[in-house]
Amino acid sequence: MVPEKIHIRVAIFGILALLVFSVLLGRLWFLQVLAGEKYAKLAEENRIRLVAVDAPRGTIYDRKGNVLVENRPSPAISVDPSIVKDKRDVLSQLAEVLGVSIHEIEEKLKEKKDPLKPVIVKKNVDEGTLAYIKEHQSEFPGVDIQIESVRDYPRGNLAAHILGYLGDISEEELKKEEYKHHSLGDFIGKTGVERQYESVLRGGKGGRQVEVDATGRPLRVLSKKDPVPGYNLTLTIDADIQQAAEEALAAAIETAHRHGHKDAAAGAVVVMDPRNGELLALASHPSYDPRLFKGGVSSKEWALLNDPSSHFPLNNRAIMCSYPPGSTFKPITAMAGMAEHLVSPRSAFKCTGRWTRFGERWAKSCWKRSGHGGIDLIRGIIHSCDVVFYEIGYMLHKTQEKFQEWSRRFGFGTLTGIDLPSEAKGRVPDKAWKRERYKNNPRYRIWLPGDTVNIAIGQGDLLVTPLQMANAYAAIANGGILYKPHVAKALLTPEGRVSYEFKPQELGKLELPPGIIGATQIALKRVVSQGTASGAFAGFPVPVAGKTGTAQVFGKDDFAWFACYAPADDPRYVAVVLVEQGGHGGSTAAPAARRILSHIFNVPLPGPVDVIDVSR
């Protein structure tokens, strides 16, 4: 007889076996029936992968068809993560050959890229390195040489701030709607027109459908879709005028140094067509070489570009930085005063060199300490008499901020809307601004008459960008139309056909009473022929209208300004020059404007003559 205990054990074993088989059968039923479709799809995806192929990026031209940015083939070193992931010795040797750290290579491999897409670990590789890797290919399994398309700059660093540069897309940028079709590892425009027109320059990605084995290695290409090249972009910029503007700005800084303004190291130039808002040149100093970014800028180079001692060369000072405008703002004050019927072109003033409307304790000085004597508004502009504008500012203070309203009508204190990123809007201060600015300090919250008087001469808390100043003078030159400044002129198909033209856009028209702009134009023309800019333009054969400015900045040397247009009677060019800590406008900025106009009108440059200007 079989003992009873054995029966019990057999029964328990049978029950356990039945349970195990039930679980296995249930799981099999779940995988094949309930989740069968899902896992079949996953299996298919594991067998077939999609590999993206970048499109050729569009070429960028100046208005005459000169190439500013193009593509050129460049060798790069790639690493196949699936092959080298367990071969740290290979990565270590590769890092040594490429002159980078192994940490840098490993960080690139960790990025969440297409697992089938080799990772570029070094771009723009020199011939010697390529030859070494080819000769020792057996020592570098999974390492390959690829030919990439990289940006090339036939004219070096010309117009670097307008063109911008490319860089790796960040995870933060990938979250934005505009980059929804991008993926990590893509190069995108970071600044300038490369950033602004990213969507049209980059084109459409292509791709390959690749069959892979269980380890992810590609077996064959099942299908492919060709990428769509990006549009080419023609700019309004004239490369030759841009070159002249950049050279003139550098020369102005040298002039400032020669005059004792040793801290002058930066500045900006804007050249605009006042008839349509097209920008012909936009220079910023110091500049940078966009070729630094072709292979991915190194951390050392990036640190240098952002070191304060380098004066931040990546900043486009023409649009991103705002400054007190000094006396270049006086024509705006004059027109606001005339528009409010407070003064006329022949209104008489008396300048004794001091203005004491607030009492002797708060007396203000004219730059000409001996005084201009009896002077009218037109001559006040010509000779940049501070007392005239103190008085107008004092009158405007009683107009319930009409002065600020007129300033904004000229485009100050707001974005111009230029088609370049990171524009600053400057500042037109008023009661509300001051109340908010000093909300924790009641003593300074009240807007005082002295505040209006200060901004009347372009000082105080007023801040403008060189681009805003150029746009305002363009409106004076063309009779009152404020255009939206722009640098894009046309989009071209890869075959060269014009696909889209960027038309001028009016931002508004200055509704000034008749005669006001005309009187201002007369005054500005005489500034150059008789006034504070006459030294800089002595003998210049083309009539020019303009205004000098010398802005005071607390703790720094004076900032030099000059804003002008030419020919004065048929304006086709507006030019604005700013030199930070450059001293006086008439002796530093105005000669730079003359150099630019000399190039435009093919007028020989004068000899090395230093101009002396002591006005403000």
Side-chain angles (χ1 to χ4, degrees):
M1 282 183 69
V2 179
E4 187 177 348
K5 285 184 179 178
I6 292 178
H7 279 293
I8 295 172
R9 287 176 186 171
V10 169
I12 292 174
F13 178 78
I15 292 170
L16 287 175
L18 186 61
L19 284 173
V20 169
F21 279 113
S22 297
V23 170
L24 289 174
L25 285 173
R27 182 63 180 165
L28 189 61
W29 177 77
F30 172 79
L31 291 174
Q32 291 194 338
V33 179
L34 293 184
E37 187 177 345
K38 173 186 173 185
Y39 287 103
K41 185 180 177 185
L42 286 175
E44 182 69 9
E45 287 177 351
N46 282 335
R47 188 176 69 83
I48 300 172
R49 302 279 177 80
L50 295 176
V51 181
V53 177
D54 294 330
R57 200 172 175 88
T59 301
I60 302 175
Y61 302 94
D62 82 341
R63 65 186 301 117
K64 295 176 180 172
N66 296 307
V67 175
L68 299 176
V69 187
E70 61 185 352
N71 303 312
R72 73 167 174 79
S74 172
I77 298 298
S78 69
V79 169
D80 187 332
S82 67
I83 298 177
V84 301
K85 61 181 178 182
D86 298 323
K87 295 184 173 61
R88 200 163 194 274
D89 57 327
V90 172
L91 295 183
S92 178
Q93 188 181 353
L94 180 64
E96 187 177 340
V97 172
L98 297 180
V100 300
S101 70
I102 188 171
H103 174 73
E104 193 173 330
I105 293 178
E106 288 176 331
E107 285 299 307
K108 286 181 182 292
L109 295 179
K110 284 179 186 173
E111 291 173 1
K112 297 174 184 174
K113 298 180 178 179
D114 186 335
L116 278 186
K117 192 175 180 180
V119 178
I120 300 292
V121 296
K122 178 77 174 179
K123 298 184 178 184
N124 212 27
V125 181
D126 62 82
E127 288 296 330
T129 304
L130 293 175
Y132 183 87
I133 291 176
K134 283 180 185 173
E135 290 170 6
H136 301 79
Q137 189 66 61
S138 60
E139 300 173 23
F140 297 102
V143 176
D144 200 6
I145 297 172
Q146 292 195 9
I147 300 301
E148 277 207 322
S149 177
V150 298
R151 293 308 239 178
D152 196 27
Y153 304 87
R155 302 197 63 152
N157 61 356
L158 183 80
H161 294 93
I162 303 169
L163 302 175
Y165 61 84
L166 304 183
D168 275 313
I169 193 169
S170 67
E171 292 194 28
E172 211 49 45
E173 287 166 328
L174 268 178
K175 296 174 185 173
K176 298 179 180 176
E177 174 69 17
E178 61 184 308
Y179 298 120
K180 64 182 179 183
H181 298 302
H182 290 67
S183 56
L184 274 176
D186 285 352
F187 253 41
I188 60 166
K190 293 287 187 177
T191 62
V193 294
E194 294 275 25
R195 164 75 181 84
Q196 186 75 25
Y197 293 102
E198 164 73 17
S199 61
V200 292
L201 286 170
R202 68 179 165 81
K205 284 186 179 182
R208 298 194 307 272
Q209 198 176 38
V210 182
E211 184 180 8
V212 298
D213 63 16
T215 64
R217 291 172 185 268
L219 299 175
R220 60 179 172 141
V221 176
L222 300 176
S223 64
K224 66 177 184 179
K225 176 186 173 186
D226 292 332
V228 179
Y231 282 96
N232 298 324
L233 177 63
T234 297
L235 301 182
T236 60
I237 299 298
D238 182 312
D240 294 331
I241 296 178
Q242 178 73 25
Q243 183 79 44
E246 293 185 10
E247 290 174 356
L249 187 53
I253 292 172
E254 289 179 11
T255 300
H257 292 168
R258 202 166 54 247
H259 290 177
H261 304 289
K262 301 298 183 186
D263 292 328
V269 168
V270 180
V271 182
M272 176 187 286
D273 187 335
R275 299 167 298 181
N276 51 28
E278 290 185 355
L279 288 161
L280 303 166
L282 202 67
S284 183
H285 186 95
S287 188
Y288 66 95
D289 189 344
R291 289 170 292 194
L292 284 174
F293 295 86
K294 282 198 300 189
V297 67
S298 70
S299 55
K300 181 181 177 183
E301 289 166 336
W302 183 252
L304 286 173
L305 289 169
N306 290 280
D307 192 295
S309 65
S310 70
H311 302 283
F312 303 107
L314 295 179
N315 286 351
N316 183 351
R317 287 173 160 79
I319 67 168
M320 294 170 62
C321 300
S322 47
Y323 308 89
S327 297
T328 52
F329 201 75
K330 286 174 178 171
I332 311 301
T333 304
M335 286 187 280
M338 289 187 278
E340 293 302 313
H341 308 289
L342 301 173
V343 291
S344 73
R346 294 300 166 198
S347 290
F349 302 85
K350 185 174 182 180
C351 173
T352 63
R354 283 165 56 80
W355 187 74
T356 57
R357 178 73 72 174
F358 300 145
E360 281 294 331
R361 184 183 176 190
W362 307 105
K364 289 179 172 291
S365 300
C366 181
W367 67 266
K368 188 176 182 180
R369 298 305 168 93
S370 61
H372 289 94
I375 189 170
D376 62 20
L377 176 58
I378 295 292
R379 291 179 59 224
I381 296 174
I382 296 168
H383 298 290
S384 203
C385 175
D386 291 317
V387 167
V388 169
F389 292 92
Y390 291 145
E391 192 61 31
I392 298 174
Y394 183 73
M395 289 187 269
L396 283 167
H397 179 72
K398 302 171 183 174
T399 63
Q400 299 301 316
E401 300 195 335
K402 287 290 184 183
F403 184 22
Q404 285 89 339
E405 184 180 319
W406 278 107
S407 299
R408 294 186 182 106
R409 289 190 195 183
F410 277 91
F412 297 108
T414 188
L415 301 177
T416 67
I418 184 176
D419 51 347
L420 286 174
S422 305
E423 183 187 11
K425 67 177 185 179
R427 181 171 65 213
V428 175
D430 56 15
K431 292 177 184 176
W433 171 83
K434 195 172 181 184
R435 213 163 34 237
E436 176 63 22
R437 173 71 176 80
Y438 296 103
K439 59 185 177 185
N440 297 322
N441 194 341
R443 186 179 172 188
Y444 296 105
R445 293 181 64 191
I446 301 173
W447 186 264
L448 300 171
D451 293 320
T452 312
V453 169
N454 277 339
I455 64 174
I457 62 165
Q459 292 286 164
D461 293 305
L462 180 69
L463 295 174
V464 311
T465 66
L467 178 66
Q468 287 173 333
M469 187 59 73
N471 219 24
Y473 273 73
I476 297 172
N478 67 30
I481 299 174
L482 210 61
Y483 285 102
K484 183 177 180 179
H486 63 107
V487 295
K489 192 168 181 64
L491 289 177
L492 310 177
T493 65
E495 297 76 30
R497 183 172 47 82
V498 175
S499 173
Y500 181 80
E501 284 187 89
F502 294 85
K503 303 291 185 184
Q505 292 183 52
E506 289 188 18
L507 296 175
K509 185 171 176 58
L510 299 171
E511 300 297 338
L512 286 163
I516 290 180
I517 288 184
T520 307
Q521 290 171 338
I522 290 171
L524 294 178
K525 190 174 176 182
R526 290 171 62 185
V527 166
V528 177
S529 62
Q530 306 168 21
T532 53
S534 58
F537 281 88
F540 197 72
V542 178
V544 178
K547 183 72 190 78
T548 56
T550 303
Q552 296 171 313
V553 178
F554 180 75
K556 295 186 176 181
D557 204 347
D558 292 341
F559 285 32
W561 281 90
F562 187 64
C564 67
Y565 56 85
D569 301 321
D570 181 23
R572 301 197 300 276
Y573 303 95
V574 168
V576 168
V577 178
L578 160 81
V579 180
E580 295 180 15
Q581 305 194 76
H584 293 268
S587 52
T588 298
R594 175 175 177 152
R595 286 179 68 101
I596 297 165
L597 295 178
S598 291
H599 169 83
I600 291 173
F601 294 109
N602 197 25
V603 175
L605 287 172
V609 178
D610 277 343
V611 177
I612 304 300
D613 169 44
V614 295
S615 67
R616 197 155 57 193

